[in-house]
Amino acid sequence: MKKLKIDIVSDVMCPWCIIGYKNLETALAQLSDEFSAEISWKPFELNPDMPIEGQDLNEHLRQKYGLSEEQGDENRKRILEMGEKAGFTFNFDGKRIMINSFDLHRLLTWAATEGKQTELKLALFKAHFTDLIFLNEQDNLLDVVQSVGLDRARAKEILDSGEYFQEVRSEQNALQQMGITSVPTFIINDQYALTGGQPSDAFVQAFKQIAEQEAQQQQ
């Protein structure tokens, strides 16, 4: 059994991050006889200057990317289809907002110490994209934390303090120095990188190539 170390640089605000992850999951299930994977999530903020109250998503996309209404519709349709194919439900029917995700990264850094990082990350993706929960409201965020079996009171303590601030900033700086400027980025065994919401076949191919290269290096 070959071991894979997979660090996923991502932001809960990024739809392609959950699409890419679901496709990664499919690839690992297909290769479960050959590979085992240790997954960790690394912090990236799509909108570090976003105020705490957030912004209407459609308005944000128009301002940031200059998307027309037609382009926005096209973009949503594509994400919806890719999500469905990957096994994730996006909901575009209600009011959606873009928020500053720094506090989410602080909680995810803590969740890693509790062995619950992936569970929390996936619950946050579902809350944001499927259930349209505003994660900039503390009670909503604490509900999600509690739903994966993490301690609500401890999470509140973290949110109300500066805990994990430095850890998140240090990781972000290290990733920037590595030249990572877009998400998702999948760093495999500390030396290979795949970017974007890749299909599962791309992961399967990449893992097999990496295994071959590493086998050759050991000869």
Side-chain angles (χ1 to χ4, degrees):
M1 181 77 76
K2 302 173 192 76
K3 286 188 178 175
L4 294 166
K5 176 177 181 283
I6 305 173
D7 295 321
I8 309 172
V9 187
S10 94
D11 190 350
V12 173
M13 298 297 106
C14 162
W16 297 106
C17 289
I18 182 60
I19 289 169
Y21 174 76
K22 295 299 285 183
N23 289 335
L24 166 68
E25 220 176 30
T26 300
L28 289 171
Q30 284 174 20
L31 298 170
S32 59
D33 293 343
E34 299 171 61
F35 295 92
S36 67
E38 179 195 313
I39 291 170
S40 67
W41 298 83
K42 303 296 177 189
F44 188 97
E45 288 175 88
L46 283 171
N47 301 284
D49 301 323
M50 180 67 69
I52 193 73
E53 63 271 15
Q55 184 184 21
D56 176 80
L57 184 61
N58 293 336
E59 182 186 296
H60 173 75
L61 293 174
R62 278 197 302 274
Q63 281 181 7
K64 187 172 180 179
Y65 302 108
L67 291 186
S68 67
E69 203 169 315
E70 200 176 72
Q71 288 169 319
D73 289 345
E74 200 53 50
N75 195 37
R76 282 190 288 278
K77 189 180 165 200
R78 185 161 170 247
I79 287 169
L80 209 56
E81 285 170 0
M82 296 293 282
E84 208 172 294
K85 205 171 166 187
F88 184 83
T89 303
F90 287 97
N91 177 3
F92 293 126
D93 292 337
K95 180 172 170 59
R96 298 169 305 134
I97 61 169
M98 175 65 71
I99 67 163
N100 181 308
S101 57
F102 189 76
D103 279 346
L104 277 54
H105 291 303
R106 289 201 295 136
L107 288 175
L108 286 160
T109 304
W110 162 62
T113 69
E114 302 285 327
K116 293 261 187 187
Q117 194 184 38
T118 293
E119 287 97 319
L120 180 58
K121 186 82 177 188
L122 297 181
L124 290 169
F125 276 130
K126 181 180 180 293
H128 179 66
F129 286 117
T130 309
D131 303 331
L132 304 187
I133 289 167
F134 291 1
L135 296 173
N136 55 345
E137 293 176 16
Q138 192 179 94
D139 276 348
N140 290 346
L141 188 48
L142 293 174
D143 286 346
V144 179
V145 165
Q146 196 172 355
S147 76
V148 298
L150 285 162
D151 188 281
R152 185 186 186 102
R154 178 72 185 107
K156 184 171 179 1
E157 215 174 71
I158 291 164
L159 290 173
D160 290 343
S161 70
E163 276 188 87
Y164 296 102
F165 179 97
Q166 206 46 59
E167 289 89 331
V168 172
R169 282 285 178 251
S170 296
E171 279 206 301
Q172 286 177 325
N173 291 338
L175 293 163
Q176 278 176 351
Q177 282 166 15
M178 285 167 65
I180 292 169
T181 57
S182 66
V183 287
T185 297
F186 300 85
I187 304 167
I188 303 150
N189 294 353
D190 294 321
Q191 53 181 331
Y192 307 95
L194 272 177
T195 59
Q198 298 282 349
S200 56
D201 291 354
F203 286 110
V204 168
Q205 197 181 347
F207 297 152
K208 290 188 170 180
Q209 283 177 348
I210 287 165
E212 275 175 33
Q213 282 181 26
E214 291 184 343
Q216 284 168 4
Q217 285 163 10
Q218 284 164 12
Q219 282 172 8

